[in-house]
């Protein structure tokens, strides 16, 4: 009932708190703040502003946060157990230099009247983190512009369920690991970029299931200027299932930057482009033991399609299976070098190569 202002060391005890235009919870201090079962309607304001806290624990928190956000800064650890954020059209939670942020279960959802797997200014951000260690397991996020956005942070994301987001994950600088997640009808399941970062990020995307949005231009996994492993994912219906590019526009990447794309099962739509696309002279790519089926219009695997002559990726294309592509099964162009062996290609024009060297 109005704003609740507390120093940490307080247990709120299941209050229902309503607010118009200022933070519902304004928190400072170095103790422990515990929330259990609170229901907060920020009603156009910010639901929390916590600075310099030591520990924050929230269990079964329900927050309606239209046209607002929540802020954590300078803390040591914050733990959210089964929270529920809804009507998020700007932000659910922004964290900066917040030590460790832990989510176990819970949900974040945008406004029901907007479809967010294509860009809309009415679609908000779920978690926006900078300089923080994120450990998120079992979260459900839907109908958001970006479900998880992080800069210069570490992300461990597992067993989540994502649907109808423009981006499920947007990872900018810092390591990221995504395992066991499910994505459906989103524009981008995982986007990870290391351009201009202080250090080349290491990204692991393993054992996820992705069904792209049926708009014809959705991507499954995009990796840009990053060391990466893309392993044993199941991806279907994407314009491009896996796009890995190491062009190093800022001139900061070491050479070579290894990227492994292995053991993925991909089903291509009839409107799709190449399903595995690798680019860039700073990349050392291994594309191995992937299965690609379906009538991909352009083809299945491409190395160097958009690279300049002689500056494309060095690539090993090994023991992949390609069936049913309408275009070329394996295509290479402008590569530094390519090694292709043991691949099975059926019902396509098979293989095309020019530029660089190949065996």
């Amino acid at each position: 009932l109005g704003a609740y202002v507390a120093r940490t060391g307080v247990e709120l005890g299941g209050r229902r708190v309503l607010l118009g235009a200022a933070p519902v919870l304004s928190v400072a201090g170095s103790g422990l703040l515990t929330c259990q079962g609170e229901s907060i309607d920020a009603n156009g304001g910010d639901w929390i502003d916590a600075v310099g806290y030591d520990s924050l624990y929230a269990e079964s928190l329900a927050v309606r946060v239209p046209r607002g956000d929540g802020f954590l800064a300078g803390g040591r650890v914050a733990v959210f157990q089964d929270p529920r954020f809804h009507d998020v059209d700007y932000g659910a939670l922004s964290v900066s230099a917040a030590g460790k942020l832990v989510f176990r279960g819970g949900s974040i959802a945008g406004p029901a009247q907007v479809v967010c797997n294509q860009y809309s200014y009415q679609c908000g951000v779920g978690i926006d983190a900078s300089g923080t260690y994120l450990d998120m397991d079992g979260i459900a996020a839907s109908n958001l512009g970006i479900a998880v956005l992080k800069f210069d942070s570490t992300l461990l994301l597992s067993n989540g369920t994502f649907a109808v987001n423009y981006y499920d994950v947007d990872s900018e600088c810092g390591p990221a690991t995504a395992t066991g997640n499910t994505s459906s009808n989103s524009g981008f399941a995982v986007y990870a970029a290391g351009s201009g970062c202080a250090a080349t990020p290491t990204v692991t995307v393993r054992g996820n299931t992705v069904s792209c949005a049926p708009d014809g231009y959705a991507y499954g996994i995009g990796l840009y200027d990053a060391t990466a492993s893309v392993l044993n994912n199941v991806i279907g219906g994407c314009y491009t299932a896996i796009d890995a590019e190491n062009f190093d526009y800022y001139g900061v990447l070491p050479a070579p930057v290894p990227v492994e794309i292995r053991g993925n099962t991909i089903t291509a739509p009839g409107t799709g482009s190449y399903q595995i696309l690798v680019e860039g002279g700073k990349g050392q790519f291994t594309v191995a033991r992937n299965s690609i089926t379906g009538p991909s219009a352009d083809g299945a695997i491409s190395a160097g399609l958009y690279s300049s002559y002689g500056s494309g990726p060095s690539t090993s294309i090994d023991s992949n299976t390609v069936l049913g592509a309408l275009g070329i099964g394996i295509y290479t162009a402008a590569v530094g070098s390519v090694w292709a062996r043991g691949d099975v290609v059926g019902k396509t024009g098979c293989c095309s190569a020019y530029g660089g060297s190949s065996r």
Side-chain angles (χ1 to χ4, degrees):
L1 302 176
Y4 187 85
V5 180
R7 293 189 63 82
T8 51
V10 175
E11 180 172 337
L12 298 187
R15 298 168 183 262
R16 177 166 178 79
V17 186
L18 305 176
L19 183 72
V24 177
L25 303 176
S26 183
V27 180
S30 58
L32 168 67
L33 174 68
T34 302
C35 306
Q36 291 183 297
E38 274 70 35
S39 178
I40 296 174
D41 189 341
N43 195 28
D46 297 330
W47 73 272
I48 190 170
D49 187 358
V51 179
Y53 58 91
D54 178 78
S55 305
L56 187 155
Y57 176 77
E59 181 179 341
S60 302
L61 183 73
V63 182
R64 179 178 178 268
V65 58
R67 304 178 307 283
D69 206 339
F71 297 94
L72 305 180
R76 185 180 66 85
V77 61
V79 178
F80 289 82
Q81 178 76 45
D82 296 318
R84 184 169 66 90
F85 299 91
H86 58 102
D87 289 343
V88 177
D89 59 8
Y90 183 77
L93 186 62
S94 295
V95 295
S96 177
K100 188 172 185 178
L101 177 67
V102 178
F103 268 71
R104 291 295 181 263
S107 63
I108 307 173
Q113 68 272 21
V114 183
V115 177
C116 290
N117 58 13
Q118 298 184 27
Y119 175 77
S120 170
Y121 71 93
Q122 294 176 289
C123 297
V125 176
I127 305 300
D128 184 350
S130 176
T132 302
Y133 187 102
L134 304 176
D135 182 352
M136 308 179 72
D137 183 78
I139 193 168
S142 61
N143 213 33
L144 298 162
I146 305 173
V148 180
L149 171 64
K150 64 96 169 169
F151 297 87
D152 290 319
S153 298
T154 296
L155 173 64
L156 300 179
L157 180 67
S158 57
N159 305 311
T161 303
F162 299 86
V164 200
N165 304 303
Y166 193 48
Y167 288 81
D168 295 337
V169 176
D170 184 348
S171 173
E172 309 277 350
C173 302
T177 300
T179 59
N181 302 286
T182 299
S183 169
S184 59
N185 295 326
S186 291
F188 234 124
V190 176
Y191 174 97
S195 302
C197 300
T200 305
T202 298
V203 179
T204 300
V205 184
R206 182 178 64 248
N208 304 281
T209 300
V210 177
S211 300
C212 281
D215 67 353
Y217 293 99
Y219 282 65
I221 299 165
L223 308 163
Y224 308 100
D225 288 351
T227 298
S229 299
V230 184
L231 309 172
N232 303 320
N233 301 280
V234 177
I235 306 171
C238 303
Y239 182 74
T240 293
I242 302 169
D243 180 17
E245 303 180 12
N246 285 336
F247 282 107
D248 190 21
Y249 292 115
Y250 290 86
V252 296
L253 289 182
V257 176
V259 175
E260 182 181 18
I261 302 171
R262 183 183 296 272
N264 302 282
T265 301
I266 298 169
T267 303
T271 56
S273 182
Y274 287 96
Q275 293 300 291
I276 297 177
L277 186 68
V278 297
E279 297 285 342
K282 286 293 185 72
Q284 185 179 60
F285 297 94
T286 299
V287 181
R289 299 190 179 278
N290 302 284
S291 172
I292 304 173
T293 59
S296 182
D298 289 339
I301 299 171
S302 171
L305 178 64
Y306 301 115
S307 299
S308 300
Y309 179 80
S311 64
S314 297
T315 307
S316 171
I317 303 174
D318 186 2
S319 303
N320 300 279
T321 299
V322 176
L323 297 174
L326 299 181
I328 296 169
I330 300 172
Y331 179 90
T332 67
V335 293
S337 64
V338 59
W339 172 272
R341 65 179 180 181
D343 299 288
V344 176
V345 182
K347 295 185 178 179
T348 75
C350 188
C351 310
S352 176
Y354 66 89
S357 61
S358 62
R359 301 196 271 178

